[in-house]
């Protein structure tokens, strides 16, 4: 089988020869035309169009963007804020940074359209601290757009005004969680808020209704308005519309970012045909399909899925179409589109030790299960890889993970427990035999002490 | 008395039991009302909801309704409305009851959640209970016993954090014991309005600390020790002094100002070890000022007036001076209602002018008011005074200078502090009754040693005209007699109507003679006090500004 053609919509100009990130280049390529069109429309019509398009959030949860906008409390009399979530921190994900670095005006246009559609008077771009260059580029791009009347007072000569500011994070994964982001934006420690009552659509930034959308999601809004929801619906599969950007990293010949219509390409096509397959002499062992928090898939495992007519079909990992729903049905998620590939050179205990170290470091420490559980799991895997593994460690760790997932303030509880749950479930033998395997492997070898 | 408005009730189902609870309260409080304990750490009824400890996870279900028609969906098997149970556990503290809500607090899922949270809280908690001051009143101990698994699966190294940080002059922090519930942080922000505490670092290495260059020094800092569910925050004054299970608890009242915060006095074998606040939602919620907690030190202070001579001899000498005429009576706003009652009767019997000494300070807007006498209102109610007192006794000074006064009966006060000179004191005979020695007791012809508030029982009337009782926590100083008894006997000695000096007898007289106390008896007074009818004194310009549960009358009128 060969892969379908790449469909570059969001990434149309990424890495394009001669395309620069200044406003002149953007305007030359038809930039801000959609915003010009949008401000002549009724805001609710734009919202309807986005709802109709079936656009799902590209940040990780895949929640309907139109629905999210519909939750906004428009009767409170308080200002409505829109916050661009550019805190792209999920390990394995590197899509938003390319939009920001190479096509920042696409983001600004998509954001301003979304602001107009939701009667937002003030937008913020929350960008992770590790993107200083991105922040600088956006700062400049916003100023260019402001000078041309696309941002700020009386946009395009209308009586609609909306300004946009950059806010740089200080380097914390949890700031990607929308309520943690809001706390951080307010100048506080990024402890996610309890929901209820603090749903951002009602009590968000400064206790006002707030929309938090991912960078890529807002870019999609521009394209939805450009082609119309009906055309947009034709891209991808039902309930999984539009394109998705896959950030493939790890053990493939051609890692990188690829944009495809959602669900039109399978995991096998992506890894073998697009990314050139495994490295020479190696075999694929496992793949994490949506950023490090998504549950791992083991090559060779089979999934039995229900069809609409009630019949069932069996899928291997290679057969999974890369959309939101099928990946969810296979027990994992499309997440942020970060596809992390591991071949047979990887020891799964060591891979998990790496992931656990990340989540233990990034837990905000607010609520008990995540705070204590993530570090405990890290301590177990680091003890294991430092030569003191026990047979029962895998099961113990899974039981710790089970005590976290579903019991925390925010989704970090799932993010830190899903890797452990899935690694132990699918590679349990490797956890049991880790000590023996290591001893066998190191037998006769000299080790530096 | 003003009755609070009856709350609207909703019916909820807690563990299969249909109960009516006030609308809008949270699940923890609703369960508490029907005797079901939902364990928690971070939740405190007087602070905002944090929802971080996850100990109060419960199972929650709502009656099913058809999305389109809003009609209830019935369960054919039971004939009742179907319940949609939320698959994830929910926090009891952050969930407010609504009609038809179903709550499970004892299900397997809830039990497992509690076991999990307990295990997590304990893995990095030091096992130093034997040397921890919180032992015996530690929520972690109690709930580990009640809801934990009883064994540990943790074989890793525990985290290491600072063990003894002096957060301020009165509070010590052990970060390893801290469960990061943030109660102390929220208290400092929301009640004390002194936002100095916070967490630094993240994850399991999160550490409670003070803002750099600041300290937890406000006058409410010790409340953080009270609300700390574990042994992380301890009182510099109390720590390592006594195991709490040896201590006897006695209800008392804070005497530092007219707020009259409700307190508990903790004592053992006649020695007081600490004072903590007692919940009264109409007065002090669950708080009290640090300044009120050290008042127990007056029991063993160096300036106590020691008993000299027999009470009978002292009373005989006193009554001889008093019956000689030309008497002025200086009562006290620190005396109990009962003592003021007898003081007033003595004054009446001797046809003497009576007054008290006002004591003013700056109110803090929380639980220390501008009137630093705990019982100014008591003096008004008992008729000891008829108008607001002054800080300086200028009228008495003038009377002494004019030679109109031969003998002054002084209860507790130091006349030199109230503006009288040593010369003026020398011109008169002084009969002094009080627990501490001062210039007035030194100048007195007769001085009788009295007791501190911790050694006697009685009542005060606070700024709200709330009658509140206190009980003796420790026995009085050897040889000293209860002020109330002394005054009752002195009244008899000067020829007044004899009344029994025990509280029941005094109260039968009080309820008979004072209309706003009509029908009241000491034994029947509720622990949280009783609001009196204050209309008779509504014209007076009391000095207090707003405090936690008190609005000055003038402010009310303009509001």
């Amino acid at each position: 089988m060969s892969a379908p053609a790449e469909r570059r919509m969001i990434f149309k100009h990424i890495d394009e020869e001669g395309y620069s990130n200044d406003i002149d280049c953007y305007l030359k390529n038809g930039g801000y035309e959609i915003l010009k069109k949008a401000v002549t429309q009724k805001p609710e019509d734009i919202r309807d169009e986005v709802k109709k398009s079936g656009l799902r959030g590209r940040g990780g949860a895949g929640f309907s963007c139109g629905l999210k906008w519909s939750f906004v409390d428009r009767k409170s009399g308080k200002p409505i804020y829109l916050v661009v979530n550019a805190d792209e921190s999920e390990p394995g994900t590197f899509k938003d940074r390319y939009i920001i670095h190479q096509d920042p005006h696409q983001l600004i246009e998509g954001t301003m359209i979304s602001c107009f559609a939701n009667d937002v008077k003030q937008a913020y771009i929350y960008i992770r601290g590790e993107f200083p260059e991105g922040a600088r580029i956006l700062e400049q791009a916003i100023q260019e757009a402001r000078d041309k009347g696309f941002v700020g007072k009386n946009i395009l000569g209308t009586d609609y005004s909306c300004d946009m500011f950059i806010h740089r994070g200080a380097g914390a994964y949890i700031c990607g969680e929308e309520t943690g982001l809001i706390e951080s934006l307010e100048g506080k420690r990024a402890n996610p808020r309890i929901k209820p009552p603090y749903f951002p659509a009602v009590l968000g930034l400064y206790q006002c209704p707030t929309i938090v959308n991912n960078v890529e999601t807002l870019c999609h809004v521009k394209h939805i308005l450009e082609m119309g929801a009906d055309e947009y619906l034709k891209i991808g599969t039902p309930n999984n519309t539009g394109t998705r950007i896959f950030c493939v990293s790890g053990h493939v010949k051609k890692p990188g970012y690829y944009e495809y219509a959602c669900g039109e390409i399978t995991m096998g096509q992506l890894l073998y045909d697009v990314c050139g397959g495994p490295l020479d002499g190696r075999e694929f062992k496992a793949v994490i399909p949506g950023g490090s928090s998504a549950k791992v898939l083991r090559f060779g495992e089979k999934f039995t899925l229900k069809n609409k007519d009630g019949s069932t079909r069996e899928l291997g990992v290679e057969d999974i179409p890369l959309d939101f729903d099928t990946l969810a049905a296979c027990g994992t998620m499309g997440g942020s589109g970060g596809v992390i590939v591991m071949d047979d050179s990887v020891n799964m205990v060591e891979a998990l030790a790496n992931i656990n170290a990340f989540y233990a470091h990034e837990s905000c420490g607010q609520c008990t299960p995540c705070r204590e559980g993530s570090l405990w799991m890290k301590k177990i895997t680091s003890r294991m890889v430092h030569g003191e593994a026990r047979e029962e460690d895998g099961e113990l760790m899974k039981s710790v993970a089970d005590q976290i997932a579903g019991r925390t303030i925010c989704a970090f509880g799932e993010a830190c427990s899903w890797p452990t749950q899935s690694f132990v479930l699918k590679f349990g033998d490797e956890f049991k035999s880790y000590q023996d395997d290591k001893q066998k492997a190191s037998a006769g070898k000299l080790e530096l002490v | 008395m003003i009755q609070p408005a009856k709350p609207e009730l909703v019916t909820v189902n807690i563990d299969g039991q249909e109960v009516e609870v006030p609308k809008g309260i949270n699940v923890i409080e609703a369960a508490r009302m029907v005797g079901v304990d939902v364990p928690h750490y971070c939740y405190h009824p007087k602070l905002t909801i944090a929802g971080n400890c996850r100990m109060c996870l419960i199972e929650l279900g709502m009656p099913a309704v058809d999305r389109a028609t809003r009609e209830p969906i019935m369960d054919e098997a039971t004939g009742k409305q179907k319940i949609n149970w939320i698959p994830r556990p929910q926090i009891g503290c952050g969930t407010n009851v609504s009609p038809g809500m179903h709550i499970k607090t004892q299900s397997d899922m809830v039990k497992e959640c509690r076991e999990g949270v307990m295990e997590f809280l304990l893995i990095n908690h030091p096992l130093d209970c034997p040397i921890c001051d919180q032992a015996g009143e530690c929520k972690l101990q109690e709930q580990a016993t009640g809801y934990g698994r009883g064994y540990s699966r943790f074989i890793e190294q525990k985290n290491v954090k600072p063990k003894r940080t002096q957060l301020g002059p009165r509070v010590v922090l052990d970060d390893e014991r801290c469960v990061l519930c943030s109660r102390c942080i929220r208290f400092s922000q929301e009640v004390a309005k002194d936002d100095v505490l916070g967490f630094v670092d993240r994850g399991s290495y999160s550490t409670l600390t003070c803002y750099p260059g600041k300290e937890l020094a406000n006058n409410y800092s010790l409340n953080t020790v009270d609300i700390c569910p574990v042994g992380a925050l301890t009182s510099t004054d109390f720590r390592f002094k006594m195991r709490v299970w040896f201590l006897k608890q006695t209800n008392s009242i804070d005497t530092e100002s007219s707020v009259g915060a409700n307190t508990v006095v903790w004592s053992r074998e006649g020695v007081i070890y600490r004072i903590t606040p007692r919940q009264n939602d109409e007065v002090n919620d669950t708080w009290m000022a640090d300044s009120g907690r050290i008042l127990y030190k007056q029991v063993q202070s160096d300036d106590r007036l020691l008993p000299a001579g027999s009470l009978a001899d002292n009373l005989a000498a006193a009554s001889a001076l008093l019956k000689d005429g030309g008497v002025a009576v200086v009562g006290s706003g620190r005396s109990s209602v009962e003592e003021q009652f007898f003081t007033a009767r003595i004054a009446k019997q001797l046809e003497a002018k009576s007054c008290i000494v006002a004591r003013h300070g700056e109110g803090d807007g929380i639980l220390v008011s501008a009137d630093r006498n705990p019982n100014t209102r008591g003096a008004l109610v008992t008729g000891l005074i008829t108008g607001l007192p002054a800080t300086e006794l200028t009228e008495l000074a003038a009377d002494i200078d004019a030679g109109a006064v031969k003998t002054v009966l002084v209860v507790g006060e130091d006349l030199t502090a109230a503006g009288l000179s040593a010369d003026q004191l020398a011109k008169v005979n002084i009969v002094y009754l009080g627990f501490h020695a001062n210039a007035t007791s030194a100048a007195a012809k007769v001085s009788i040693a009295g007791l501190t508030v911790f050694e006697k029982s009685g009542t005060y009337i606070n700024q709200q005209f709330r009658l509140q009782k206190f009980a003796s926590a420790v026995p009085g100083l050897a040889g000293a007699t209860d002020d109330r008894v002394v005054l009752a006997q002195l009244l008899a000695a000067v020829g007044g109507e004899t009344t029994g000096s025990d509280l029941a007898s005094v109260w039968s007289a009080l309820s008979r003679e004072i209309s706003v106390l009509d029908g009241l008896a000491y034994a029947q007074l509720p622990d949280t006090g009783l609001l009196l009818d204050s209309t008779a004194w509504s014209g007076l310009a009391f000095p207090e500004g707003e405090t936690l549960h008190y609005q000055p009358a003038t402010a009310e009128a303009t509001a």
Side-chain angles (χ1 to χ4, degrees):
Chain A
M1 59 184 172
S2 66
E6 206 180 349
R7 173 157 188 161
R8 286 207 169 193
M9 186 165 75
I10 306 299
F11 268 16
K12 188 176 176 198
H13 299 295
I14 302 301
D15 297 339
E16 187 180 297
E17 193 79 28
Y19 192 87
S20 58
N21 58 22
D22 56 276
I23 198 162
D24 294 334
C25 178
Y26 189 68
L27 290 171
K28 233 185 298 169
N29 286 278
Y32 288 107
E33 288 304 319
I34 316 303
L35 176 62
K36 285 178 193 164
K37 195 175 100 184
V39 294
T40 64
Q41 288 176 273
K42 276 193 196 156
E44 52 267 40
D45 291 348
I46 302 175
R47 296 203 295 269
D48 286 344
E49 201 72 2
V50 170
K51 193 163 191 176
K52 201 170 146 196
S53 75
L55 173 63
R56 293 173 70 165
R58 265 32 177 192
F63 192 77
S64 160
C65 179
L67 206 53
K68 195 175 207 176
W69 289 6
S70 74
F71 294 151
V72 172
D73 182 358
R74 298 177 200 281
K75 291 180 187 141
S76 67
K78 297 188 222 173
I80 299 168
Y81 292 103
L82 187 143
V83 183
V84 183
N85 187 343
D87 193 72
E88 182 174 56
S89 323
E90 182 72 24
T93 314
F94 43 89
K95 56 187 182 65
D96 297 342
R97 64 179 293 149
Y98 286 99
I99 299 169
I100 293 164
H101 280 209
Q102 299 190 24
D103 205 0
H105 286 286
Q106 181 185 196
L107 170 62
I108 294 168
E109 186 174 6
T111 305
M112 291 316 294
I113 295 167
S114 304
C115 287
F116 177 76
N118 288 288
D119 195 26
V120 170
K121 299 291 193 296
Q122 179 63 58
Y124 294 94
I125 300 179
Y126 187 98
I127 186 165
R128 68 182 301 207
E130 292 86 342
F131 284 177
E133 182 66 4
R136 192 192 60 73
I137 291 166
L138 277 174
E139 200 80 71
Q140 189 184 329
I142 292 171
Q143 192 50 50
E144 287 171 348
R146 204 179 274 132
D147 293 343
K148 299 265 185 198
F150 301 127
V151 170
K153 277 226 159 91
N154 301 102
I155 289 167
L156 292 162
T158 64
D159 57 4
Y160 175 66
S161 300
C162 176
D163 213 338
M164 187 187 283
F165 293 120
I166 304 280
H167 185 100
R168 284 186 63 196
Y173 173 82
I174 198 61
C175 293
E177 199 279 345
E178 59 180 4
T179 58
L181 185 154
I182 287 169
E183 285 280 299
S184 175
L185 194 50
E186 288 183 2
K188 304 178 198 153
R189 198 182 153 90
N191 285 356
R193 296 173 174 175
I194 51 171
K195 291 146 271 184
Y198 301 107
F199 294 108
V202 183
L203 297 171
L205 184 62
Y206 310 120
Q207 300 299 311
C208 296
T210 303
I211 298 165
V212 183
N213 279 141
N214 171 258
V215 169
E216 189 191 341
T217 313
L218 289 165
C219 293
H220 275 277
V221 171
K222 179 202 147 182
H223 296 279
I224 290 166
L225 282 227
E226 184 171 11
M227 64 179 75
D230 291 327
E231 276 304 305
Y232 187 88
L233 273 166
K234 290 179 189 163
I235 309 169
T237 54
N239 201 35
N240 298 269
T241 55
T243 60
R244 283 227 72 174
I245 298 164
F246 301 103
C247 315
V248 185
S249 62
H251 300 141
V252 289
K253 282 194 176 134
K254 289 192 286 176
Y257 35 86
Y258 305 96
E259 186 173 1
Y260 282 92
C262 199
E264 272 183 14
I265 186 169
T266 64
M267 184 65 91
Q269 287 171 324
L270 179 69
L271 298 190
Y272 287 99
D273 304 332
V274 178
C275 296
L279 302 175
D280 292 336
R282 290 289 172 191
E283 276 175 36
F284 288 142
K285 182 177 186 179
V287 58
I288 302 175
S292 66
S293 61
K295 288 190 176 177
V296 70
L297 298 171
R298 181 172 57 85
F299 279 86
E301 68 176 321
K302 300 282 180 201
F303 305 94
T304 309
L305 304 185
K306 266 191 186 155
N307 292 324
K308 267 190 186 155
D309 59 9
S311 64
T312 58
R313 68 197 139 109
E314 196 169 76
L315 291 182
V317 171
E318 295 87 343
D319 310 322
I320 301 173
L322 296 176
D323 60 15
F324 292 99
D325 293 341
T326 318
L327 281 164
C330 293
T332 181
M333 63 173 180
S336 58
V339 180
I340 303 168
V341 188
M342 287 170 265
D343 69 18
D344 54 2
S345 69
V346 174
N347 181 292
M348 299 312 279
V349 178
E350 287 160 14
L352 184 63
N354 189 331
I355 294 176
N356 280 353
F358 174 79
Y359 287 107
H361 184 253
E362 296 297 344
S363 167
C364 78
Q366 185 184 194
C367 68
T368 310
C370 163
R371 174 182 74 230
E372 300 299 336
S374 62
L375 184 65
W376 189 2
M377 294 191 298
K378 180 218 162 174
K379 282 178 175 175
I380 294 173
T381 40
S382 57
R383 171 171 52 74
M384 289 178 80
V385 301
H386 284 95
E388 287 178 61
R390 303 176 304 166
E391 241 185 72
E392 64 265 39
D393 282 334
E395 282 309 310
L396 171 62
M397 220 164 13
K398 187 177 166 299
S399 141
V400 171
D402 293 345
Q403 287 184 171
I404 305 170
R407 301 177 188 180
T408 52
I409 291 175
C410 77
F412 191 103
E414 282 75 36
C416 73
S417 50
W418 282 350
T420 295
Q421 287 174 333
S422 59
F423 272 60
V424 175
L425 184 73
K426 296 179 181 186
F427 299 93
D429 292 346
E430 247 178 86
F431 283 80
K432 276 199 185 118
S433 63
Y434 183 75
Q435 188 79 356
D436 287 348
D437 294 350
K438 279 284 130 176
Q439 274 165 3
K440 271 181 216 154
S442 64
K445 284 186 195 165
L446 284 177
E447 268 188 25
L448 284 175
V449 178
Chain B
M1 273 181 59
I2 308 140
Q3 290 291 335
K6 264 212 163 150
E8 196 183 328
L9 297 176
V10 294
T11 303
V12 296
N13 184 304
I14 301 178
D15 297 330
Q17 191 191 344
E18 299 275 325
V19 293
E20 281 201 321
V21 294
K23 189 182 174 182
I25 66 170
N26 70 13
V27 168
I28 293 180
E29 295 298 336
R32 202 203 304 267
M33 292 184 82
V34 294
V36 174
D37 178 39
V38 177
H40 55 269
Y41 294 99
C42 68
Y43 169 68
H44 188 282
K46 301 295 173 191
L47 299 174
T48 54
I49 303 291
N52 62 35
C53 75
R54 316 309 281 181
M55 191 65 191
C56 67
L57 289 170
I58 43 105
E59 256 187 280
L60 194 67
M62 291 305 293
V65 286
D66 189 285
R67 281 203 175 176
T69 62
R70 310 303 298 168
E71 288 290 311
I73 300 172
M74 304 307 284
D75 186 341
E76 281 170 23
T78 61
K80 287 181 181 169
Q81 194 168 1
K82 209 177 141 206
I83 302 302
N84 285 338
W85 290 96
I86 303 173
R88 282 162 161 250
Q90 303 294 313
I91 44 173
C93 63
T95 306
N96 292 340
V97 293
S98 59
M101 182 181 271
H102 277 55
I103 298 150
K104 286 186 196 165
T105 72
Q106 306 297 330
S107 66
D108 287 345
M109 189 218 269
V110 173
K111 192 169 164 272
E112 207 185 293
C113 286
R114 290 172 182 172
E115 284 175 355
V117 171
M118 272 319 306
E119 178 173 46
F120 285 140
L121 287 174
L122 290 174
I123 58 173
N124 282 303
H125 192 87
L127 292 176
D128 61 1
C129 303
I131 56 152
C132 177
D133 233 34
Q134 191 81 358
E137 52 181 4
C138 174
K139 289 282 167 208
L140 207 58
Q141 274 186 334
E142 290 167 16
Q143 292 175 14
T145 312
Y147 308 102
R149 287 203 187 91
Y151 58 88
S152 175
R153 304 186 291 170
F154 187 78
I155 62 161
E156 323 302 327
Q157 292 281 322
K158 284 175 188 267
N159 293 346
V160 175
K161 290 182 187 175
K163 283 299 276 183
R164 55 189 74 77
T165 307
Q166 194 75 42
L167 279 187
R170 293 173 291 279
V171 181
V172 186
L173 165 67
D174 182 330
D175 266 306
E176 287 185 348
R177 292 180 189 153
C178 175
V179 293
L180 304 163
C181 71
S182 77
R183 274 182 174 187
C184 53
I185 298 175
R186 283 175 282 145
F187 172 82
S188 301
Q189 289 170 340
E190 295 161 16
V191 182
K193 315 276 184 211
D194 184 27
D195 192 2
V196 292
L197 296 179
F199 292 130
V200 293
D201 292 337
R202 60 191 183 193
S204 190
Y205 300 107
S206 296
T207 304
L208 178 68
T209 191
C210 246
Y211 190 84
K214 303 250 177 168
E215 56 173 9
L216 180 65
N218 67 64
N219 194 27
Y220 292 86
S221 68
L222 283 168
N223 291 286
T224 63
V225 174
D226 298 333
I227 57 175
C228 180
V230 296
L233 296 173
T234 49
S235 153
T236 313
D237 183 47
F238 176 67
R239 68 192 227 133
F240 307 136
K241 297 274 167 59
M242 185 53 66
R243 282 304 193 184
V244 292
W245 53 80
F246 290 130
L247 296 173
K248 183 185 77 169
Q249 298 174 45
T250 309
N251 286 355
S252 191
I253 299 294
D254 179 6
T255 57
E256 67 185 317
S257 81
S258 63
V259 170
N262 291 206
T263 62
V264 175
V265 177
W266 302 69
S267 64
R268 183 190 184 193
E269 293 177 3
V271 178
I272 299 173
Y273 287 87
R274 68 172 179 184
I275 299 175
T276 58
R278 172 164 53 92
Q279 183 166 359
N280 186 336
D281 295 345
E282 307 299 322
V283 179
N284 56 308
D285 287 347
T286 53
W287 322 121
M288 73 177 288
D290 292 359
S291 44
R293 296 175 193 249
I294 50 167
L295 293 181
Y296 75 88
K297 301 202 172 184
Q298 62 192 210
V299 174
Q300 294 189 330
S301 76
D302 292 337
D303 67 349
R304 269 203 85 153
L305 180 61
L306 300 174
S310 77
L311 180 62
D313 291 349
N314 285 331
L315 284 171
S319 63
L321 289 170
L322 294 172
K323 281 196 282 196
D324 201 26
V327 176
V329 173
V330 180
S332 175
R334 289 172 165 177
S335 295
S336 69
V337 170
E338 298 79 2
E339 291 155 16
Q340 290 173 341
F341 174 65
F342 284 123
T343 312
R345 277 182 143 203
I346 290 168
K348 194 176 165 197
Q349 177 67 26
L350 299 172
E351 293 175 354
K353 282 185 189 169
S354 60
C355 63
I356 64 170
V357 181
R359 202 170 264 107
H360 292 161
E362 207 175 315
D364 66 3
I366 309 175
L367 288 173
V368 178
S369 67
D371 182 354
R372 296 299 167 81
N373 278 331
N375 203 20
T376 303
R377 268 64 166 186
L380 289 165
V381 168
T382 53
L384 183 61
I385 53 174
T386 49
L388 288 182
T391 50
E392 304 255 311
L393 299 177
T394 45
E395 194 181 337
L396 177 64
D399 286 348
I400 291 173
D401 289 341
V405 174
K406 280 200 291 186
T407 303
V408 187
L409 170 62
V410 186
V411 183
E413 301 292 352
D414 179 9
L415 298 182
T416 58
L420 269 68
S421 66
D423 285 348
Q424 287 166 329
L425 253 59
K427 285 183 193 163
V428 290
N429 301 314
I430 295 172
V431 175
Y432 178 84
L433 167 65
F435 71 83
H436 67 258
N438 54 30
T440 306
S441 69
K445 284 264 172 5
V446 182
S447 74
I448 305 173
L451 301 180
T452 66
V453 64
F454 306 105
E455 301 160 313
K456 59 192 183 186
S457 302
T459 52
Y460 292 127
I461 299 171
N462 84 348
Q463 57 185 353
Q464 306 160 320
F465 277 88
R466 179 178 295 274
L467 179 66
Q468 306 193 104
K469 64 178 176 182
F470 59 91
S472 80
V474 292
L477 186 67
T481 309
D482 191 325
D483 307 49
R484 183 185 72 243
V485 177
V486 173
L487 290 165
Q489 293 188 10
L490 192 58
L491 173 62
V494 297
E497 187 186 339
T498 49
T499 312
S501 62
D502 62 294
L503 281 166
S505 310
V506 179
W507 271 89
S508 68
L510 280 167
S511 71
R512 198 171 53 239
E513 292 184 22
I514 298 171
S515 63
V516 295
L517 303 180
D518 186 24
L520 302 180
Y522 182 80
Q524 266 87 55
L525 285 180
D527 284 338
T528 51
L530 208 59
L531 263 190
L532 303 177
D533 179 4
S534 62
T535 41
W537 299 278
S538 59
L540 295 177
F542 290 105
E544 290 100 331
E546 191 180 338
T547 54
L548 189 61
H549 285 289
Y550 173 79
Q551 282 282 340
T554 46
E556 261 169 33
T558 52

